[in-house]
Amino acid sequence: MKVLVIGGGGREHALCWKLAQGASVDAILVAPGNAGTAEIARNVDVSPDDHDAVSSLCQQEAIGLVVVGPEAPLCKGLADRLRADGFPVFGPGAGGAELEGSKAFSKDLMGQHGIPTAGFRTFNDAQFARDYLEGDIPFPVVVKASGLAAGKGVLICPDRDAALAAIDTLMEQRQFGISGDTVVIEEFLVGEEVSVHAITDGRTILTLPTSEDHKRVFDDDQGPNTGGMGAVSPSTRLDQAGIARVERDTMLPTLNALARGDRPYCGVLYAGLMVTRGASKVLEFNVRFGDPETQVILPRLKCDLGELLLTCAEGRLESIDDKAFDWDSRSAVTVVLSSGGYPGAFTRGHPIEGISDANAMDGVTVFHAGTALVGGKVVTAGGRVLSVTALGSDLTDARARAYEAVSLISFEDMHFRTDIGTRALRGVLEAEA
Ligand code: AMP
Ligand code: GLY
């Protein structure tokens, strides 16, 4: 079959890379893709916002499966449109995608159905939000733009002044536009963050291996939040019993609530969790694969990804044999190389050296994110530029390989965290203690 992947980041390169390995996939188109996807797929210049154009492309190319990578096209109803036109789509419709597109909606859903999450209040009016913050409430609090903000609309506020400033940034200065017109003010949770992804057709769920993201831009979790600076899989903070608990208390009730609300869900449901001993609370839901989590999950997948996602898109997930849904027991680590200045302003167009040397290392794959081909040369073209993934016999080995590969790559103003995976290693030590 021919697959169309929507998106152009590290996640989409990883999706194309894994799809290309499966016998079910003959060809891949990707819109818009990047310099990495161009090596294994055909990059096409079609905007995901132009639903007519995407549907015509599917028709002309006889696309057998559409995989939507990012959240924005899902929130804008691309999956609904393509499904209505008769194409199998992996990704929820706009109704289900609201789980990510509106934090106010997802918090309400969790509140109504007893799904464990941080205590919260929602505000549409800046003065009401300020009045609440002036009251007798504990700090820190977390102030979140309700709408989409590329992972950057979450402000951790140690005290009242910081929280009032956050309301000003989001609701008065409108740094994230309409995304901040509604804000959620949340209780600050303490624990360890774990990402759980489940593939689902709305009835059956298949939980993928756990992972841990590193959202802050600098080492030791300092600096502003980013889309994600690196990840490891598996997480060391959630054992089999913990995963079963998340399926029972979080994933299934959420899908049931969506179904009852006439929001059928097909695709991947990603819960960002704060885990403490014996409890996991939802920090956020995403309605697509995590980036960079995908870059550590998919290298561990043994089955044919195209077949798995098609089976899901056709609502036949129940028929998947548990044995076919198998994982590499090795660990994976990915380190994101970003443009200096990201998540703020940065420059583009710098030539990148060393990608093929890194790719030549055993167990290493360099996924492209913000890259472009200019005059046959790969140059930087985004905030997150590359995601360097390594498999290793354990976390220590995978980490060493990933950082050795990173040391072979360079571009002007390159930035990366040097501590990806150390948090998970602490988890191993704590479990042994
Ligand atoms: P979100 O996009 O809602 O997942 O938030 C981005 C990041 O902010 C999370 O990965 C956490 O590191 C942090 N965060 C969000 N909500 C909370 C919370 N209630 N307590 C502590 N940290 C939080
Ligand atoms: N890595 C976090 C996200 O994809 O939202």
Side-chain angles (χ1 to χ4, degrees):
M1 93 184 134
K2 223 184 214 183
V3 183
L4 171 64
V5 174
I6 302 289
R11 164 185 51 214
E12 286 76 22
H13 187 192
L15 284 165
C16 290
W17 172 85
K18 192 68 211 176
L19 284 164
Q21 290 170 14
S24 69
V25 176
D26 304 312
I28 305 169
L29 276 66
V30 53
N34 56 36
T37 63
E39 290 172 12
I40 48 174
R42 172 146 62 92
N43 289 1
V44 287
D45 188 17
V46 171
S47 164
D49 290 339
D50 187 344
H51 294 185
D52 289 341
V54 179
S55 185
S56 302
L57 178 72
C58 291
Q59 197 75 48
Q60 280 157 20
E61 298 282 346
I63 295 295
L65 171 68
V66 183
V67 180
V68 184
E71 60 280 11
L74 294 167
C75 291
K76 289 180 188 158
L78 179 63
D80 299 298
R81 165 65 191 272
L82 297 177
R83 262 197 283 274
D85 292 348
F87 302 104
V89 183
F90 182 81
E98 222 181 334
L99 208 53
E100 177 167 0
S102 165
K103 288 190 192 284
F105 169 78
S106 83
K107 293 294 288 192
D108 271 350
L109 181 138
M110 288 187 267
Q112 278 168 23
H113 294 86
I115 294 159
T117 189
F120 71 101
R121 292 278 302 269
T122 299
F123 297 93
N124 301 308
D125 180 287
Q127 193 51 47
F128 286 162
R130 282 190 284 265
D131 289 347
Y132 171 71
L133 291 170
E134 294 291 357
D136 182 20
I137 59 163
F139 287 89
V141 294
V142 186
V143 179
K144 301 183 173 185
S146 176
L148 295 181
K152 297 164 204 157
V154 172
L155 304 163
I156 311 237
C157 306
D159 53 32
R160 180 169 286 120
D161 284 348
L164 290 169
I167 294 300
D168 192 53
T169 305
L170 297 178
M171 302 191 87
E172 307 283 9
Q173 295 172 30
R174 303 182 80 227
Q175 190 173 327
F176 298 99
I178 56 168
S179 290
D181 286 351
T182 299
V183 299
V184 174
I185 302 181
E186 246 180 47
E187 165 201 9
F188 179 77
L189 298 177
V190 179
E192 300 291 343
E193 284 185 56
V194 179
S195 304
V196 174
H197 290 65
I199 288 179
T200 178
D201 56 10
R203 287 188 301 276
T204 304
I205 66 167
L206 291 178
T207 300
L208 306 180
T210 55
S211 53
E212 294 179 20
D213 187 12
H214 297 67
K215 289 219 170 73
R216 305 290 197 100
V217 72
F218 300 125
D219 282 9
D220 296 325
D221 294 331
Q222 299 296 310
N225 270 325
T226 68
M229 293 299 294
V232 307
S233 177
S235 162
T236 56
R237 306 288 178 170
L238 210 54
D239 57 11
Q240 275 309 320
I243 295 169
R245 188 182 65 225
V246 171
E247 289 176 343
R248 187 195 63 209
D249 296 346
T250 297
M251 299 309 218
L252 290 170
T254 300
L255 291 167
N256 288 339
L258 288 171
R260 278 202 299 276
D262 201 21
R263 298 169 188 262
Y265 197 98
C266 166
V268 59
L269 178 62
Y270 157 167
L273 302 166
M274 192 67 94
V275 177
T276 48
R277 250 172 228 287
S280 349
K281 291 187 178 179
V282 176
L283 292 173
E284 65 166 346
F285 279 122
N286 293 319
V287 298
R288 36 80 195 169
F289 284 106
D291 187 347
E293 288 94 326
T294 308
Q295 293 90 303
V296 285
I297 294 175
L298 294 185
R300 300 185 57 217
L301 176 67
K302 284 189 178 167
C303 70
D304 179 326
L305 181 66
E307 192 181 300
L308 176 66
L309 301 189
L310 179 67
T311 307
C312 180
E314 292 181 341
R316 298 183 288 107
L317 217 46
E318 204 179 30
S319 68
I320 293 269
D321 179 353
D322 274 357
K323 287 194 205 70
F325 185 63
D326 198 12
W327 298 97
D328 193 323
S329 61
R330 286 179 294 173
S331 297
V333 171
T334 197
V335 179
V336 169
L337 308 185
S338 67
S339 299
Y342 169 80
F346 54 84
T347 56
R348 297 163 205 256
H350 304 298
I352 308 174
E353 307 297 337
I355 295 177
S356 45
D357 294 337
N359 265 326
M361 281 180 57
D362 191 28
V364 170
T365 309
V366 180
F367 295 112
H368 290 231
T371 66
L373 269 178
V374 175
K377 185 103 192 100
V378 179
V379 302
T380 65
R384 292 190 290 177
V385 176
L386 299 170
S387 183
V388 181
T389 300
L391 283 164
S393 54
D394 58 16
L395 199 52
T396 306
D397 184 36
R399 226 186 141 248
R401 283 170 198 262
Y403 277 108
E404 191 184 335
V406 166
S407 74
L408 302 174
I409 300 176
S410 60
F411 56 84
E412 198 175 310
D413 279 346
M414 179 170 110
H415 166 71
F416 60 91
R417 277 181 62 159
T418 65
D419 64 345
I420 303 302
T422 50
R423 197 197 300 148
L425 282 172
R426 275 201 304 276
V428 177
L429 294 177
E430 284 167 26
E432 282 169 1

